[in-house]
């Protein structure tokens, strides 16, 4: 356990804490209300309003804890008041500052802590609002914002008391210090985080500060023209006037109440109002001093909590009535409850098992690229055990050597600029296993800043099977299922590319259109199975008698095409290849115990480097040439 850090303004901070007179005082509803609300909303067993003294922290309000104070060296809150942002420790046993703390290793066994500083008008942190749990957990963004908002309400209460003390001190100074006091009063008056107003005996505004104007939506000029009666909700006016009369009659020296104002837009604004009076030396009433704190957010939270409480009370009442009516069935109800608890434990165990055996590999690295977490699926996917992985650099474990420099530069760029194209997106990358085997993975990476340090969490899913299936689908989409040759779609993808290559190399290409002669007779007499055997054999012969740079395609039925590239002698080379194909096709084909013979009609369309032909035009030219070959007697080649 490390010692607690010391604020740079410690003396000023402690002086303000003692002036506020909050230490070792009685419980107050305004603080207790907030701690109960936070415990309910965040569902935590312990909530504290902690005031950090010179050598201790004392709890002004507490829920779920019997102790009233602890030594400062043990206080999590001593760390919270140093920073401007909330301190959230998801698991204290993993935090070097707190893992050996007696409050962690012993009662109350703190595992989770979230604290927000409580600040004065001048920004001095006198304490915290903190939520504590005995098990590790994470706060959602909404829960974190709720804790911050509740701390802001308490900070405003502190600032309100600070303003009241400052105002009282100003009024008690001697006449010789009036000018200095007035200057400080103006500063406090204008910069106070709560509304302050001076009101004449007839109810008119003498002076108002900007905070009050912001609360009510009026400019100072507009508000000065009104009276407090003009902006008070009609239902709250009588109680306010009654207390005001008691104050004027010296029955009370101040009063405080929660009331509603109506702002410039006509909307209701709840405020906490404190009214005192200023008397002249002759004992005559000069004006009233109003401290006005905006509690609209608290009221809305209370309304939500009241609705929740009402709903819970209604449920309890309904349940109570059911129990009264079903008293004779108490035993069976208890048995049912026991079964429910067992089922709950079973579900919790199943959930834990699912998390432990997640299908995605989970890897967490810190800001310098060292692995801090590595789950079971990561062990299975990459071949490294958790013990081997923790503390090593990610690029040394699963990133291919060619990509490591880009990985390091990407991390450096994010830490310097906060920008990175792969964060919070699904991307596909190549990873490497322990044995050196490459595998495709789908990665989702997010970055999180904790205590000013950035950590990166990544879920990696092995997509080898998916990539294999995609490759199969891509192959099937572009290949004929019967012969295995490229299909019509592949041909129309290939031709523009072949024409572009012909233009770059200034060497002609050609398209052969092949239609089998006599195939229909074989199909009709021997059956479709025999016909399929013939088509497969023709496809095999075509594939074997052309160059690797050429492509044989089955268009459909008994129609084939061949794309010939790099024809140095143009039509002459194309004609030679066509006659070679014709001779190969005309060789007898063995079908089980019988032999069949077929021929083919072949049309040739030559594409020269500087010609402009679409794929459709080239196919139509070759098709037309093929029909010329058929009309000339079949079993021959025709060059367009």
């Amino acid at each position: 356990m490390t010692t607690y850090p010391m604020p740079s303004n410690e003396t000023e901070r402690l002086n303000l804490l003692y002036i506020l007179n909050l230490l070792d005082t009685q419980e107050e509803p305004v603080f207790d209300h907030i701690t109960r609300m936070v415990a309910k909303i965040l569902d935590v067993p312990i909530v504290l309003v902690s005031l950090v003294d010179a050598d201790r922290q004392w709890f002004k309000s507490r829920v779920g804890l019997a102790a009233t104070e602890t030594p400062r060296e043990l206080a999590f809150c001593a760390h919270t008041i140093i920073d401007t942002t909330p301190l959230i420790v998801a698991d204290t046993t993993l935090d070097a500052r707190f893992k050996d703390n007696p409050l962690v290793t012993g009662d109350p066994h703190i595992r989770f802590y979230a604290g927000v500083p409580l600040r004065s008008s001048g920004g001095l942190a006198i304490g915290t609002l903190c939520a504590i749990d005995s098990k590790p957990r994470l706060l959602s963004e909404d829960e974190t914002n709720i804790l911050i908002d509740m701390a802001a309400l308490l900070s405003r209460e502190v600032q309100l008391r600070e303003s009241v003390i400052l105002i009282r001190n100003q009024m008690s100074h001697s006449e010789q210090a009036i000018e200095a006091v007035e200057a400080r009063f103006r500063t406090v008056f204008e910069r106070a985080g709560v509304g302050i107003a001076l009101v004449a005996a007839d109810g008119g505004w003498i002076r108002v500060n900007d905070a009050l104007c912001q609360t009510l939506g009026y400019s100072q000029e507009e508000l000065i023209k009104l009276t407090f009666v003009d902006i008070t909700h009609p239902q709250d006016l009588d109680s306010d006037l009654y207390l005001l009369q008691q104050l004027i009659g010296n029955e009370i020296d101040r009063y405080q109440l929660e009331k509603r104002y109506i702002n410039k837009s006509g909307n209701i604004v709840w405020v906490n109002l404190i009214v005192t009076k200023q008397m002249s030396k002759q004992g005559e009433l000069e004006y009233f001093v109003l401290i006005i704190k905006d509690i609209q957010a608290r009221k809305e939270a209370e309304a939500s909590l009241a609705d929740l409480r009402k709903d819970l009370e209604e449920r309890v009442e309904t349940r109570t009535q059911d129990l009264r009516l079903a008293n004779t069935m108490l035993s069976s109800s208890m048995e049912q409850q026991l079964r429910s608890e067992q089922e709950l434990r079973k579900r919790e165990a199943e959930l834990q098992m699912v998390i432990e055996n997640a299908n995605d590999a989970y890897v967490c690295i810190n800001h310098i690229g060292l692995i801090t977490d590595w789950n079971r699926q990561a062990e299975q996917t990459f071949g490294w055990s958790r013990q081997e992985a923790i503390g090593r650099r990610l690029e040394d474990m699963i990133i291919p050597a060619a990509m490591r420099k880009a990985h390091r530069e990407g991390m450096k760029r994010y830490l310097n600029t906060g920008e990175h194209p792969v964060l919070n997106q699904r991307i596909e990358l190549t990873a490497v296993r322990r044995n050196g085997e490459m595998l495709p993975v789908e990665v989702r990476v997010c970055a999180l800043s904790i205590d000013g340090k950035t950590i990166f969490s990544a879920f990696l899913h092995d997509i080898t099977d998916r990539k294999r299936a995609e490759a199969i689908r891509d192959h099937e989409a572009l290949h004929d299922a019967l012969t295995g040759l490229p299909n019509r779609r592949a041909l129309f993808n290939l031709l523009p590319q072949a024409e572009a290559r012909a233009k770059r190399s200034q060497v002609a290409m050609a398209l052969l259109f092949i239609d089998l002669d006599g195939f229909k007779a074989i199909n009709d007499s021997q059956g479709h199975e025999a016909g399929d055997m013939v088509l497969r054999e023709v496809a095999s012969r075509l594939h074997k008698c052309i160059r690797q740079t050429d492509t044989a395609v089955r268009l459909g039925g008994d129609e084939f095409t061949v794309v010939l590239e790099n024809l140095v002698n143009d039509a002459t080379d194309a004609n030679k290849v066509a006659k070679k194909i014709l001779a190969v096709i005309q060789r007898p084909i063995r079908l089980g115990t019988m032999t069949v013979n077929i021929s083919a009609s072949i049309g040739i369309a030559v594409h020269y480097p500087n010609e402009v032909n679409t794929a459709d035009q080239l196919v139509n030219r070759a098709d037309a040439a093929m029909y010329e070959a058929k009309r000339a007697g079949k079993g021959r080649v025709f060059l367009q």
Side-chain angles (χ1 to χ4, degrees):
M1 181 183 68
T2 58
T3 58
Y4 60 87
M6 186 67 68
S8 60
N9 54 9
E10 178 69 358
T11 301
E12 187 179 0
R13 190 189 70 81
L14 289 175
N15 287 339
L16 175 62
L17 178 61
Y18 299 146
I19 290 171
L20 288 173
N21 196 27
L22 289 172
L23 288 171
D24 303 306
T25 57
Q26 295 295 319
E27 297 178 354
E28 295 185 55
V30 66
F31 294 93
D32 295 343
H33 185 78
I34 294 296
T35 52
R36 290 196 301 268
M37 189 181 302
V38 171
K40 187 69 176 181
I41 294 174
L42 299 188
D43 191 23
V44 292
I46 299 175
V47 179
L48 305 171
V49 175
S50 171
L51 302 177
V52 181
D53 200 352
D55 57 0
R56 61 170 180 157
Q57 66 169 346
W58 181 79
F59 306 132
K60 174 63 178 173
S61 179
R62 63 190 190 279
V63 171
L65 188 67
T68 59
E69 62 180 51
T70 66
R72 185 167 175 177
E73 61 264 27
L74 303 183
F76 285 54
C77 299
H79 296 261
T80 305
I81 64 173
I82 294 298
D83 210 342
T84 58
T85 58
L87 173 60
I88 300 177
V89 183
D91 188 345
T92 57
T93 62
L94 303 179
D95 194 307
R97 296 170 297 177
F98 307 116
K99 63 181 181 179
D100 298 325
N101 191 307
L103 301 179
V104 174
T105 59
D107 287 332
H109 298 286
I110 298 174
R111 291 293 179 273
F112 164 81
Y113 171 89
V116 181
L118 303 181
R119 297 192 178 276
S120 69
S121 300
L124 298 175
I126 64 167
T128 69
L129 171 64
C130 61
I132 295 172
D133 205 339
S134 57
K135 57 181 181 294
R137 61 178 290 175
L138 295 174
L139 286 185
S140 69
E141 182 179 355
D142 286 342
E143 290 172 329
T144 302
N145 288 335
I146 287 172
L147 187 62
I148 293 172
D149 289 343
M150 293 304 180
L153 292 176
L154 291 178
S155 291
R156 289 188 188 132
E157 179 64 24
V158 170
Q159 294 163 11
L160 173 63
R161 297 182 182 216
E162 180 184 4
S163 298
V164 171
I165 290 171
L166 288 173
I167 291 171
R168 287 178 177 172
N169 289 340
Q170 295 296 336
M171 291 181 174
S172 66
H173 286 175
S174 65
E175 293 182 358
Q176 290 77 10
I178 287 178
E179 290 185 3
V181 170
E182 176 61 22
R184 184 171 178 83
F185 173 77
R186 283 196 301 270
T187 300
V188 174
F189 187 89
E190 295 300 333
R191 297 184 181 179
V194 295
I196 304 176
L198 305 182
V199 178
D202 61 1
W205 306 98
I206 299 173
R207 187 174 180 182
V208 296
N209 70 349
D210 288 340
L212 179 57
C213 291
Q214 291 174 6
T215 298
L216 297 177
Y218 291 99
S219 66
Q220 290 197 11
E221 293 76 11
E222 292 172 329
L223 193 55
I224 289 294
K225 296 177 182 179
L226 304 174
T227 68
F228 80 92
V229 175
D230 295 330
I231 64 169
T232 297
H233 192 283
Q235 296 178 3
D236 296 341
L237 185 57
D238 288 343
S239 58
D240 198 352
L241 291 174
Y242 173 75
L243 292 171
L244 187 63
Q245 289 302 318
Q246 286 187 310
L247 180 62
I248 294 172
N250 295 322
E251 298 177 43
I252 55 177
D253 61 355
R254 67 193 295 270
Y255 70 87
Q256 177 177 352
L257 80 158
E258 293 181 355
K259 62 176 288 187
R260 290 166 289 181
Y261 280 138
I262 300 175
N263 65 15
K264 184 177 179 180
S265 300
N267 298 320
I268 291 174
V269 178
W270 275 98
V271 299
N272 183 293
L273 174 67
I274 298 177
V275 182
T276 60
K277 60 184 178 180
Q278 178 65 30
M279 308 298 289
S280 69
K281 292 182 178 181
Q282 293 74 29
E284 296 177 352
L285 175 63
E286 289 188 336
Y287 54 84
F288 301 102
V289 179
L290 279 61
I291 306 298
I292 302 163
K293 176 184 176 184
D294 184 349
I295 59 171
Q296 182 66 29
R298 196 195 82 194
K299 282 294 186 180
E300 291 175 356
E302 287 176 349
S304 298
L305 188 59
D307 290 341
L308 176 62
R309 184 181 295 110
K310 181 180 178 181
D311 181 61
L312 291 174
E313 289 173 351
E314 289 175 353
R315 292 184 185 183
V316 170
E317 178 62 25
T318 300
R319 183 59 179 159
T320 301
Q321 293 175 1
D322 291 343
L323 289 174
R324 289 170 181 167
L325 294 175
N327 188 48
T328 57
M329 301 176 63
L330 179 59
S331 177
S332 62
S333 296
M334 293 176 64
E335 292 175 0
Q336 179 62 40
Q337 182 179 359
L338 178 60
R339 288 194 295 270
S340 298
E341 291 175 352
Q342 292 172 342
E343 184 67 19
L344 177 60
R345 286 193 292 270
K346 178 182 176 183
R347 292 290 177 265
E348 290 175 345
E350 290 173 351
L351 177 60
Q352 184 60 37
M353 182 179 65
V354 169
I355 294 173
E356 179 65 19
N357 297 279
N359 289 330
D360 287 354
Y362 173 73
V363 180
C364 183
I365 63 175
N366 62 18
H367 64 288
I368 60 174
L370 298 181
I371 297 172
T372 60
D373 203 359
W374 183 270
N375 74 350
R376 181 180 299 177
Q377 187 60 43
E379 293 181 326
Q380 296 177 359
T381 301
F382 300 111
W384 299 93
S385 69
R386 176 183 173 84
Q387 290 75 19
E388 292 172 319
I390 298 298
R392 296 186 63 180
R393 291 191 173 276
L394 182 67
E395 59 262 33
D396 297 336
M397 303 291 290
I398 66 173
I399 297 179
M403 299 171 62
R404 290 172 186 171
K405 181 179 179 181
H407 166 75
R408 289 190 294 267
E409 291 177 348
M411 282 192 63
K412 182 178 179 180
R413 181 170 61 254
Y414 176 80
L415 294 174
N416 290 335
T417 67
E419 297 179 357
H420 201 291
V422 305
L423 289 179
N424 304 313
Q425 299 185 47
R426 292 178 181 268
I427 59 171
E428 294 182 5
L429 296 174
T430 300
V432 62
R433 291 191 171 97
R434 181 174 186 168
N435 60 8
E437 177 185 353
M438 299 292 183
L439 74 157
V441 293
E442 183 179 77
V443 182
R444 290 164 294 160
V445 184
C446 64
L448 178 65
S449 179
I450 298 178
D451 294 336
K453 300 293 185 181
T454 300
I455 65 170
F456 300 88
S457 296
F459 288 90
L460 303 95
H461 184 72
D462 184 352
I463 57 173
T464 301
D465 293 339
R466 190 178 83 191
K467 284 295 185 182
R468 187 180 296 116
E470 289 175 355
I472 293 172
R473 285 197 302 271
D474 292 343
H475 182 273
E476 291 175 348
L478 297 174
H479 288 77
D480 176 52
L482 177 64
T483 64
L485 293 179
N487 59 15
R488 177 181 290 271
R489 178 185 294 179
L491 173 66
F492 280 88
N493 289 341
L494 171 63
L495 285 177
Q497 301 171 15
E499 291 176 3
R501 286 192 288 269
K503 185 174 182 179
R504 286 195 301 270
S505 63
Q506 288 295 298
V507 178
M509 61 158 288
L511 178 67
L512 310 186
F513 198 112
I514 305 168
D515 186 89
L516 300 183
D517 300 327
F519 175 76
K520 185 175 184 303
I522 296 173
N523 212 34
D524 292 343
S525 62
Q526 304 299 325
H528 290 295
E529 183 175 351
D532 289 347
M533 293 174 64
V534 170
L535 292 174
R536 283 194 291 267
E537 178 61 24
V538 169
S540 176
R541 293 180 182 183
L542 284 176
H543 183 70
K544 291 177 181 178
C545 72
I546 62 176
R547 299 168 300 175
Q548 290 185 349
T549 56
D550 301 330
T551 306
V553 177
R554 184 190 177 200
L555 289 181
D558 59 349
E559 293 180 336
F560 297 83
T561 62
V562 176
V563 179
L564 302 176
E565 299 191 53
N566 299 316
L567 299 179
V568 177
N569 296 313
D570 306 335
T572 302
D573 288 348
N575 194 51
K576 287 181 181 179
V577 175
K579 289 182 177 180
K580 176 182 177 183
I581 290 173
L582 185 61
V584 169
I585 292 175
Q586 288 175 341
R587 293 204 304 261
I589 298 175
R590 189 79 177 170
L591 298 179
T593 59
M594 68 175 64
T595 301
V596 298
N597 293 281
I598 63 170
S599 184
S601 297
I602 303 177
I604 305 174
V606 178
H607 173 80
Y608 293 94
N610 295 321
E611 285 185 338
V612 178
N613 287 301
T614 65
D616 284 330
Q617 289 172 336
L618 193 60
V619 171
N620 290 337
R621 286 172 52 200
D623 186 29
M626 181 273 295
Y627 277 107
E628 291 297 329
K630 281 192 178 293
R631 278 194 289 270
K634 301 182 180 180
R636 63 191 65 208
V637 176
F638 185 86
L639 176 65
Q640 186 192 47

